Amino acid sequence: MGTRKYSSYEQIDRELEILKIEKEISLQKVRLEFQGIKENLEPKNIVRGIVGSYVPSFPGKYGQIISIALPFITKWLFKKRGF
């Protein structure tokens, strides 16, 4: 961004307001990304990711049964462990 010339204080104020809004949008994006990372690093989501990647390798009804039972099993395990 090069040097800009302004002909009035209104232009300067408008530019500052735009920059302020852009800064707030960037901060909100960072917060949202951080929240997503934080959720992905929760133990239950890590287990779901690991086990969920193996479920498609089970043929037919076994894969369906595992994919249905998996949320209940992980919830039970994490309650028992205190996560």
Side-chain angles (χ1 to χ4, degrees), residues 25-82:
I25 290 170
S26 296
L27 283 172
Q28 291 297 328
K29 285 181 181 179
V30 168
R31 288 180 185 141
L32 191 63
E33 287 292 323
F34 180 74
Q35 184 65 29
I37 291 169
K38 192 169 125 181
E39 288 174 5
N40 286 335
L41 292 177
E42 289 180 355
K44 64 181 178 181
N45 291 332
I46 292 173
V47 170
R48 282 184 190 155
I50 292 170
V51 176
S53 63
Y54 290 109
V55 170
S57 63
F58 292 104
K61 293 185 181 184
Y62 292 115
Q64 291 176 347
I65 292 170
I66 291 172
S67 64
I68 292 170
L70 186 62
F72 298 109
I73 294 169
T74 55
K75 188 175 180 180
W76 177 76
L77 285 173
F78 286 113
K79 277 186 178 180
K80 191 168 182 103
R81 294 282 181 179

Short mmCIF file of all heavy atoms in Angstrom, two decimals, residues 25-82:
data_model
loop_
_atom_site.label_atom_id
_atom_site.label_comp_id
_atom_site.label_asym_id
_atom_site.label_seq_id
_atom_site.Cartn_x
_atom_site.Cartn_y
_atom_site.Cartn_z
N ILE A 25 -12.59 -7.92 11.89
CA ILE A 25 -12.90 -9.13 11.13
C ILE A 25 -11.74 -10.13 11.21
O ILE A 25 -11.95 -11.32 11.43
CB ILE A 25 -13.21 -8.78 9.65
CG1 ILE A 25 -14.56 -8.05 9.57
CG2 ILE A 25 -13.23 -10.03 8.78
CD1 ILE A 25 -14.85 -7.46 8.21
N SER A 26 -10.53 -9.63 11.10
CA SER A 26 -9.36 -10.50 11.20
C SER A 26 -9.25 -11.14 12.58
O SER A 26 -8.95 -12.33 12.70
CB SER A 26 -8.08 -9.72 10.90
OG SER A 26 -8.08 -9.27 9.57
N LEU A 27 -9.51 -10.37 13.61
CA LEU A 27 -9.48 -10.92 14.97
C LEU A 27 -10.54 -11.99 15.17
O LEU A 27 -10.28 -13.02 15.80
CB LEU A 27 -9.67 -9.80 16.00
CG LEU A 27 -8.47 -8.91 16.27
CD1 LEU A 27 -8.87 -7.72 17.15
CD2 LEU A 27 -7.35 -9.69 16.91
N GLN A 28 -11.72 -11.78 14.63
CA GLN A 28 -12.79 -12.77 14.74
C GLN A 28 -12.41 -14.06 14.00
O GLN A 28 -12.71 -15.16 14.47
CB GLN A 28 -14.12 -12.21 14.22
CG GLN A 28 -14.71 -11.13 15.09
CD GLN A 28 -15.07 -11.62 16.47
OE1 GLN A 28 -15.45 -12.76 16.67
NE2 GLN A 28 -14.95 -10.73 17.44
N LYS A 29 -11.77 -13.93 12.85
CA LYS A 29 -11.32 -15.11 12.10
C LYS A 29 -10.30 -15.91 12.91
O LYS A 29 -10.35 -17.14 12.95
CB LYS A 29 -10.72 -14.70 10.76
CG LYS A 29 -11.73 -14.29 9.74
CD LYS A 29 -11.05 -13.92 8.43
CE LYS A 29 -12.03 -13.47 7.38
NZ LYS A 29 -11.36 -13.08 6.12
N VAL A 30 -9.38 -15.21 13.55
CA VAL A 30 -8.36 -15.87 14.37
C VAL A 30 -9.03 -16.59 15.54
O VAL A 30 -8.70 -17.74 15.85
CB VAL A 30 -7.30 -14.87 14.86
CG1 VAL A 30 -6.42 -15.48 15.94
CG2 VAL A 30 -6.46 -14.37 13.70
N ARG A 31 -9.97 -15.93 16.19
CA ARG A 31 -10.69 -16.56 17.31
C ARG A 31 -11.44 -17.80 16.86
O ARG A 31 -11.44 -18.83 17.55
CB ARG A 31 -11.66 -15.57 17.93
CG ARG A 31 -10.98 -14.49 18.73
CD ARG A 31 -11.99 -13.54 19.34
NE ARG A 31 -11.30 -12.45 20.00
CZ ARG A 31 -11.71 -11.19 19.97
NH1 ARG A 31 -12.81 -10.87 19.33
NH2 ARG A 31 -11.03 -10.26 20.60
N LEU A 32 -12.08 -17.73 15.70
CA LEU A 32 -12.83 -18.87 15.17
C LEU A 32 -11.90 -20.03 14.84
O LEU A 32 -12.20 -21.19 15.14
CB LEU A 32 -13.62 -18.45 13.94
CG LEU A 32 -14.65 -19.41 13.41
CD1 LEU A 32 -15.74 -19.64 14.44
CD2 LEU A 32 -15.25 -18.88 12.13
N GLU A 33 -10.76 -19.74 14.23
CA GLU A 33 -9.77 -20.78 13.92
C GLU A 33 -9.25 -21.42 15.21
O GLU A 33 -9.09 -22.64 15.29
CB GLU A 33 -8.61 -20.19 13.12
CG GLU A 33 -8.94 -19.88 11.69
CD GLU A 33 -9.21 -21.12 10.87
OE1 GLU A 33 -8.52 -22.15 11.08
OE2 GLU A 33 -10.11 -21.07 10.02
N PHE A 34 -8.97 -20.61 16.21
CA PHE A 34 -8.48 -21.12 17.48
C PHE A 34 -9.51 -22.04 18.13
O PHE A 34 -9.17 -23.10 18.66
CB PHE A 34 -8.12 -19.97 18.43
CG PHE A 34 -7.61 -20.43 19.76
CD1 PHE A 34 -6.34 -20.96 19.87
CD2 PHE A 34 -8.40 -20.34 20.89
CE1 PHE A 34 -5.85 -21.39 21.10
CE2 PHE A 34 -7.95 -20.77 22.11
CZ PHE A 34 -6.66 -21.30 22.22
N GLN A 35 -10.78 -21.64 18.08
CA GLN A 35 -11.84 -22.47 18.65
C GLN A 35 -11.92 -23.81 17.92
O GLN A 35 -12.09 -24.85 18.55
CB GLN A 35 -13.19 -21.74 18.57
CG GLN A 35 -14.32 -22.47 19.21
CD GLN A 35 -14.16 -22.60 20.71
OE1 GLN A 35 -13.54 -21.78 21.36
NE2 GLN A 35 -14.71 -23.65 21.26
N GLY A 36 -11.79 -23.79 16.60
CA GLY A 36 -11.81 -25.04 15.83
C GLY A 36 -10.65 -25.95 16.19
O GLY A 36 -10.82 -27.17 16.33
N ILE A 37 -9.48 -25.38 16.35
CA ILE A 37 -8.30 -26.17 16.73
C ILE A 37 -8.49 -26.75 18.12
O ILE A 37 -8.19 -27.93 18.37
CB ILE A 37 -7.02 -25.30 16.66
CG1 ILE A 37 -6.69 -24.95 15.22
CG2 ILE A 37 -5.85 -25.99 17.34
CD1 ILE A 37 -5.62 -23.90 15.06
N LYS A 38 -9.02 -25.94 19.03
CA LYS A 38 -9.24 -26.39 20.39
C LYS A 38 -10.23 -27.57 20.42
O LYS A 38 -10.01 -28.55 21.13
CB LYS A 38 -9.79 -25.22 21.22
CG LYS A 38 -9.82 -25.43 22.69
CD LYS A 38 -10.13 -24.11 23.38
CE LYS A 38 -11.32 -24.28 24.28
NZ LYS A 38 -11.69 -23.05 24.96
N GLU A 39 -11.28 -27.49 19.63
CA GLU A 39 -12.26 -28.58 19.57
C GLU A 39 -11.65 -29.84 18.94
O GLU A 39 -11.95 -30.95 19.37
CB GLU A 39 -13.49 -28.14 18.79
CG GLU A 39 -14.35 -27.14 19.54
CD GLU A 39 -15.50 -26.62 18.70
OE1 GLU A 39 -15.70 -27.09 17.56
OE2 GLU A 39 -16.21 -25.72 19.20
N ASN A 40 -10.83 -29.67 17.93
CA ASN A 40 -10.21 -30.83 17.28
C ASN A 40 -9.23 -31.54 18.20
O ASN A 40 -8.97 -32.73 18.02
CB ASN A 40 -9.50 -30.42 16.00
CG ASN A 40 -10.46 -30.12 14.89
OD1 ASN A 40 -11.59 -30.61 14.87
ND2 ASN A 40 -10.04 -29.29 13.95
N LEU A 41 -8.67 -30.85 19.17
CA LEU A 41 -7.69 -31.45 20.07
C LEU A 41 -8.32 -32.05 21.32
O LEU A 41 -7.60 -32.57 22.18
CB LEU A 41 -6.63 -30.42 20.47
CG LEU A 41 -5.71 -29.99 19.33
CD1 LEU A 41 -4.75 -28.92 19.82
CD2 LEU A 41 -4.96 -31.16 18.75
N GLU A 42 -9.64 -31.99 21.43
CA GLU A 42 -10.31 -32.65 22.55
C GLU A 42 -10.16 -34.16 22.40
O GLU A 42 -10.19 -34.68 21.29
CB GLU A 42 -11.79 -32.28 22.58
CG GLU A 42 -12.04 -30.85 22.99
CD GLU A 42 -13.52 -30.49 23.01
OE1 GLU A 42 -14.35 -31.34 22.61
OE2 GLU A 42 -13.83 -29.37 23.41
N PRO A 43 -9.97 -34.87 23.50
CA PRO A 43 -9.73 -36.32 23.42
C PRO A 43 -10.82 -37.08 22.66
O PRO A 43 -10.52 -37.96 21.87
CB PRO A 43 -9.69 -36.75 24.89
CG PRO A 43 -9.29 -35.54 25.64
CD PRO A 43 -9.86 -34.39 24.88
N LYS A 44 -12.09 -36.72 22.87
CA LYS A 44 -13.15 -37.46 22.20
C LYS A 44 -13.09 -37.27 20.68
O LYS A 44 -13.36 -38.20 19.93
CB LYS A 44 -14.52 -37.06 22.73
CG LYS A 44 -14.90 -35.63 22.49
CD LYS A 44 -16.26 -35.32 23.08
CE LYS A 44 -16.60 -33.86 22.86
NZ LYS A 44 -17.89 -33.52 23.42
N ASN A 45 -12.71 -36.09 20.21
CA ASN A 45 -12.62 -35.85 18.78
C ASN A 45 -11.39 -36.54 18.17
O ASN A 45 -11.42 -36.96 17.02
CB ASN A 45 -12.60 -34.36 18.49
CG ASN A 45 -13.94 -33.72 18.79
OD1 ASN A 45 -14.98 -34.37 18.71
ND2 ASN A 45 -13.93 -32.46 19.15
N ILE A 46 -10.32 -36.64 18.94
CA ILE A 46 -9.13 -37.36 18.46
C ILE A 46 -9.47 -38.83 18.28
O ILE A 46 -9.15 -39.43 17.25
CB ILE A 46 -7.95 -37.16 19.43
CG1 ILE A 46 -7.48 -35.70 19.39
CG2 ILE A 46 -6.80 -38.10 19.07
CD1 ILE A 46 -6.43 -35.36 20.42
N VAL A 47 -10.15 -39.41 19.26
CA VAL A 47 -10.53 -40.83 19.16
C VAL A 47 -11.48 -41.04 18.00
O VAL A 47 -11.33 -42.00 17.23
CB VAL A 47 -11.16 -41.31 20.49
CG1 VAL A 47 -11.77 -42.69 20.34
CG2 VAL A 47 -10.12 -41.31 21.59
N ARG A 48 -12.46 -40.17 17.85
CA ARG A 48 -13.40 -40.30 16.72
C ARG A 48 -12.66 -40.24 15.39
O ARG A 48 -12.99 -40.96 14.46
CB ARG A 48 -14.45 -39.20 16.78
CG ARG A 48 -15.52 -39.45 17.77
CD ARG A 48 -16.58 -38.38 17.70
NE ARG A 48 -17.49 -38.51 18.82
CZ ARG A 48 -18.20 -37.54 19.32
NH1 ARG A 48 -18.11 -36.33 18.82
NH2 ARG A 48 -19.01 -37.75 20.33
N GLY A 49 -11.70 -39.37 15.30
CA GLY A 49 -10.94 -39.26 14.06
C GLY A 49 -10.13 -40.50 13.75
O GLY A 49 -10.08 -40.96 12.61
N ILE A 50 -9.50 -41.06 14.77
CA ILE A 50 -8.69 -42.26 14.56
C ILE A 50 -9.56 -43.46 14.24
O ILE A 50 -9.34 -44.16 13.25
CB ILE A 50 -7.82 -42.53 15.81
CG1 ILE A 50 -6.76 -41.43 15.95
CG2 ILE A 50 -7.16 -43.90 15.72
CD1 ILE A 50 -6.01 -41.48 17.27
N VAL A 51 -10.57 -43.70 15.06
CA VAL A 51 -11.43 -44.86 14.86
C VAL A 51 -12.29 -44.67 13.63
O VAL A 51 -12.52 -45.61 12.86
CB VAL A 51 -12.30 -45.12 16.12
CG1 VAL A 51 -13.27 -46.25 15.89
CG2 VAL A 51 -11.41 -45.42 17.31
N GLY A 52 -12.76 -43.47 13.41
CA GLY A 52 -13.61 -43.19 12.25
C GLY A 52 -12.91 -43.44 10.93
O GLY A 52 -13.55 -43.78 9.93
N SER A 53 -11.60 -43.31 10.90
CA SER A 53 -10.88 -43.56 9.65
C SER A 53 -10.79 -45.05 9.34
O SER A 53 -10.59 -45.43 8.19
CB SER A 53 -9.48 -42.94 9.72
OG SER A 53 -8.73 -43.55 10.74
N TYR A 54 -10.96 -45.91 10.36
CA TYR A 54 -10.91 -47.35 10.13
C TYR A 54 -12.28 -47.96 9.85
O TYR A 54 -12.36 -49.07 9.35
CB TYR A 54 -10.28 -48.06 11.34
CG TYR A 54 -8.80 -47.78 11.47
CD1 TYR A 54 -8.32 -46.98 12.49
CD2 TYR A 54 -7.91 -48.31 10.55
CE1 TYR A 54 -6.97 -46.72 12.60
CE2 TYR A 54 -6.56 -48.06 10.66
CZ TYR A 54 -6.09 -47.25 11.69
OH TYR A 54 -4.76 -46.99 11.79
N VAL A 55 -13.35 -47.27 10.18
CA VAL A 55 -14.70 -47.82 10.01
C VAL A 55 -15.00 -48.18 8.55
O VAL A 55 -15.55 -49.25 8.29
CB VAL A 55 -15.76 -46.86 10.59
CG1 VAL A 55 -17.17 -47.29 10.20
CG2 VAL A 55 -15.63 -46.81 12.10
N PRO A 56 -14.64 -47.37 7.57
CA PRO A 56 -14.96 -47.75 6.19
C PRO A 56 -14.26 -49.04 5.72
O PRO A 56 -14.69 -49.65 4.75
CB PRO A 56 -14.47 -46.56 5.36
CG PRO A 56 -14.45 -45.42 6.30
CD PRO A 56 -14.13 -46.01 7.64
N SER A 57 -13.22 -49.47 6.41
CA SER A 57 -12.52 -50.68 6.00
C SER A 57 -13.28 -51.94 6.38
O SER A 57 -12.96 -53.02 5.90
CB SER A 57 -11.11 -50.70 6.58
OG SER A 57 -11.17 -50.73 7.98
N PHE A 58 -14.29 -51.82 7.27
CA PHE A 58 -15.10 -52.97 7.63
C PHE A 58 -16.21 -53.14 6.59
O PHE A 58 -16.94 -52.20 6.30
CB PHE A 58 -15.72 -52.79 9.03
CG PHE A 58 -14.72 -52.83 10.13
CD1 PHE A 58 -14.31 -51.66 10.76
CD2 PHE A 58 -14.17 -54.03 10.55
CE1 PHE A 58 -13.38 -51.68 11.78
CE2 PHE A 58 -13.23 -54.06 11.58
CZ PHE A 58 -12.84 -52.88 12.19
N PRO A 59 -16.36 -54.35 6.08
CA PRO A 59 -17.35 -54.55 5.02
C PRO A 59 -18.78 -54.62 5.54
O PRO A 59 -19.04 -55.06 6.66
CB PRO A 59 -16.94 -55.89 4.41
CG PRO A 59 -16.25 -56.61 5.53
CD PRO A 59 -15.59 -55.54 6.34
N GLY A 60 -19.72 -54.16 4.74
CA GLY A 60 -21.15 -54.34 4.95
C GLY A 60 -21.68 -53.88 6.28
O GLY A 60 -21.47 -52.76 6.72
N LYS A 61 -22.41 -54.80 6.91
CA LYS A 61 -23.14 -54.46 8.13
C LYS A 61 -22.22 -54.21 9.32
O LYS A 61 -22.57 -53.48 10.24
CB LYS A 61 -24.13 -55.57 8.46
CG LYS A 61 -25.24 -55.66 7.45
CD LYS A 61 -26.28 -56.67 7.84
CE LYS A 61 -27.34 -56.70 6.75
NZ LYS A 61 -28.44 -57.57 7.08
N TYR A 62 -21.03 -54.80 9.32
CA TYR A 62 -20.10 -54.56 10.43
C TYR A 62 -19.71 -53.08 10.50
O TYR A 62 -19.64 -52.50 11.57
CB TYR A 62 -18.85 -55.43 10.29
CG TYR A 62 -19.11 -56.89 10.48
CD1 TYR A 62 -18.92 -57.78 9.44
CD2 TYR A 62 -19.56 -57.38 11.70
CE1 TYR A 62 -19.17 -59.14 9.60
CE2 TYR A 62 -19.81 -58.73 11.88
CZ TYR A 62 -19.62 -59.61 10.83
OH TYR A 62 -19.88 -60.94 11.00
N GLY A 63 -19.46 -52.50 9.37
CA GLY A 63 -19.11 -51.08 9.32
C GLY A 63 -20.26 -50.21 9.79
O GLY A 63 -20.06 -49.22 10.51
N GLN A 64 -21.48 -50.58 9.40
CA GLN A 64 -22.66 -49.82 9.83
C GLN A 64 -22.86 -49.93 11.34
O GLN A 64 -23.16 -48.95 12.02
CB GLN A 64 -23.91 -50.31 9.10
CG GLN A 64 -23.92 -49.97 7.63
CD GLN A 64 -25.14 -50.57 6.92
OE1 GLN A 64 -25.81 -51.43 7.46
NE2 GLN A 64 -25.38 -50.10 5.71
N ILE A 65 -22.70 -51.13 11.86
CA ILE A 65 -22.88 -51.35 13.30
C ILE A 65 -21.84 -50.56 14.08
O ILE A 65 -22.15 -49.91 15.08
CB ILE A 65 -22.81 -52.86 13.64
CG1 ILE A 65 -24.02 -53.58 13.06
CG2 ILE A 65 -22.71 -53.07 15.15
CD1 ILE A 65 -23.94 -55.08 13.13
N ILE A 66 -20.60 -50.60 13.62
CA ILE A 66 -19.53 -49.87 14.31
C ILE A 66 -19.78 -48.37 14.25
O ILE A 66 -19.62 -47.66 15.25
CB ILE A 66 -18.16 -50.24 13.72
CG1 ILE A 66 -17.83 -51.69 14.06
CG2 ILE A 66 -17.08 -49.30 14.23
CD1 ILE A 66 -16.60 -52.21 13.38
N SER A 67 -20.20 -47.87 13.08
CA SER A 67 -20.42 -46.43 12.97
C SER A 67 -21.60 -45.97 13.82
O SER A 67 -21.62 -44.84 14.30
CB SER A 67 -20.63 -46.03 11.51
OG SER A 67 -21.81 -46.62 11.00
N ILE A 68 -22.59 -46.85 14.05
CA ILE A 68 -23.71 -46.49 14.91
C ILE A 68 -23.31 -46.58 16.38
O ILE A 68 -23.66 -45.73 17.20
CB ILE A 68 -24.93 -47.41 14.62
CG1 ILE A 68 -25.48 -47.09 13.23
CG2 ILE A 68 -26.01 -47.24 15.68
CD1 ILE A 68 -26.52 -48.07 12.75
N ALA A 69 -22.55 -47.61 16.74
CA ALA A 69 -22.19 -47.84 18.14
C ALA A 69 -21.05 -46.95 18.62
O ALA A 69 -20.92 -46.70 19.82
CB ALA A 69 -21.81 -49.31 18.33
N LEU A 70 -20.22 -46.49 17.73
CA LEU A 70 -19.03 -45.72 18.10
C LEU A 70 -19.33 -44.51 18.98
O LEU A 70 -18.65 -44.32 20.00
CB LEU A 70 -18.26 -45.31 16.84
CG LEU A 70 -16.93 -44.63 17.07
CD1 LEU A 70 -15.98 -45.57 17.80
CD2 LEU A 70 -16.34 -44.21 15.75
N PRO A 71 -20.30 -43.66 18.66
CA PRO A 71 -20.55 -42.51 19.54
C PRO A 71 -20.95 -42.91 20.96
O PRO A 71 -20.52 -42.27 21.93
CB PRO A 71 -21.71 -41.77 18.86
CG PRO A 71 -21.66 -42.21 17.44
CD PRO A 71 -21.11 -43.60 17.45
N PHE A 72 -21.72 -43.97 21.09
CA PHE A 72 -22.13 -44.42 22.42
C PHE A 72 -20.95 -44.99 23.21
O PHE A 72 -20.80 -44.73 24.40
CB PHE A 72 -23.24 -45.48 22.31
CG PHE A 72 -24.48 -44.95 21.67
CD1 PHE A 72 -24.84 -45.35 20.39
CD2 PHE A 72 -25.29 -44.04 22.33
CE1 PHE A 72 -25.99 -44.87 19.80
CE2 PHE A 72 -26.44 -43.56 21.75
CZ PHE A 72 -26.79 -43.96 20.47
N ILE A 73 -20.10 -45.72 22.54
CA ILE A 73 -18.93 -46.31 23.20
C ILE A 73 -17.97 -45.23 23.66
O ILE A 73 -17.48 -45.25 24.80
CB ILE A 73 -18.24 -47.33 22.27
CG1 ILE A 73 -19.17 -48.53 22.03
CG2 ILE A 73 -16.91 -47.79 22.85
CD1 ILE A 73 -18.70 -49.46 20.94
N THR A 74 -17.68 -44.27 22.79
CA THR A 74 -16.74 -43.21 23.16
C THR A 74 -17.30 -42.35 24.29
O THR A 74 -16.57 -41.97 25.20
CB THR A 74 -16.38 -42.31 21.96
OG1 THR A 74 -17.58 -41.80 21.38
CG2 THR A 74 -15.58 -43.06 20.93
N LYS A 75 -18.60 -42.07 24.25
CA LYS A 75 -19.22 -41.30 25.33
C LYS A 75 -19.11 -42.05 26.66
O LYS A 75 -18.77 -41.46 27.69
CB LYS A 75 -20.68 -41.04 24.99
CG LYS A 75 -21.37 -40.10 25.92
CD LYS A 75 -22.78 -39.80 25.44
CE LYS A 75 -23.49 -38.86 26.37
NZ LYS A 75 -24.86 -38.57 25.92
N TRP A 76 -19.36 -43.34 26.63
CA TRP A 76 -19.27 -44.16 27.84
C TRP A 76 -17.84 -44.18 28.37
O TRP A 76 -17.60 -44.03 29.57
CB TRP A 76 -19.75 -45.57 27.53
CG TRP A 76 -19.63 -46.50 28.71
CD1 TRP A 76 -20.43 -46.56 29.81
CD2 TRP A 76 -18.62 -47.51 28.88
NE1 TRP A 76 -19.98 -47.54 30.66
CE2 TRP A 76 -18.86 -48.14 30.11
CE3 TRP A 76 -17.54 -47.92 28.11
CZ2 TRP A 76 -18.06 -49.15 30.58
CZ3 TRP A 76 -16.75 -48.95 28.59
CH2 TRP A 76 -17.01 -49.54 29.81
N LEU A 77 -16.86 -44.37 27.47
CA LEU A 77 -15.46 -44.40 27.88
C LEU A 77 -15.01 -43.09 28.51
O LEU A 77 -14.32 -43.08 29.53
CB LEU A 77 -14.55 -44.75 26.69
CG LEU A 77 -14.53 -46.19 26.25
CD1 LEU A 77 -13.73 -46.34 24.96
CD2 LEU A 77 -13.94 -47.06 27.34
N PHE A 78 -15.39 -41.99 27.91
CA PHE A 78 -14.96 -40.69 28.43
C PHE A 78 -15.65 -40.34 29.73
O PHE A 78 -15.07 -39.66 30.57
CB PHE A 78 -15.13 -39.59 27.39
CG PHE A 78 -14.10 -39.67 26.31
CD1 PHE A 78 -14.43 -40.00 25.02
CD2 PHE A 78 -12.76 -39.45 26.61
CE1 PHE A 78 -13.48 -40.09 24.03
CE2 PHE A 78 -11.80 -39.54 25.64
CZ PHE A 78 -12.16 -39.86 24.35
N LYS A 79 -16.87 -40.79 29.92
CA LYS A 79 -17.53 -40.59 31.21
C LYS A 79 -16.83 -41.39 32.29
O LYS A 79 -16.62 -40.94 33.41
CB LYS A 79 -19.00 -40.99 31.14
CG LYS A 79 -19.89 -39.93 30.58
CD LYS A 79 -21.34 -40.36 30.70
CE LYS A 79 -22.26 -39.29 30.20
NZ LYS A 79 -23.67 -39.70 30.30
N LYS A 80 -16.45 -42.63 31.94
CA LYS A 80 -15.79 -43.50 32.89
C LYS A 80 -14.41 -42.96 33.27
O LYS A 80 -13.99 -43.05 34.41
CB LYS A 80 -15.69 -44.89 32.28
CG LYS A 80 -15.25 -45.96 33.27
CD LYS A 80 -15.46 -47.31 32.66
CE LYS A 80 -15.10 -48.37 33.63
NZ LYS A 80 -16.23 -49.01 34.27
N ARG A 81 -13.69 -42.39 32.31
CA ARG A 81 -12.34 -41.86 32.54
C ARG A 81 -12.36 -40.45 33.13
O ARG A 81 -11.34 -39.95 33.58
CB ARG A 81 -11.54 -41.83 31.23
CG ARG A 81 -11.24 -43.18 30.67
CD ARG A 81 -10.12 -43.77 31.42
NE ARG A 81 -9.80 -45.07 30.85
CZ ARG A 81 -8.84 -45.82 31.29
NH1 ARG A 81 -8.08 -45.40 32.28
NH2 ARG A 81 -8.61 -46.98 30.76
N GLY A 82 -13.48 -39.77 33.05
CA GLY A 82 -13.57 -38.43 33.61
C GLY A 82 -13.13 -37.33 32.68
O GLY A 82 -12.77 -36.25 33.11
#
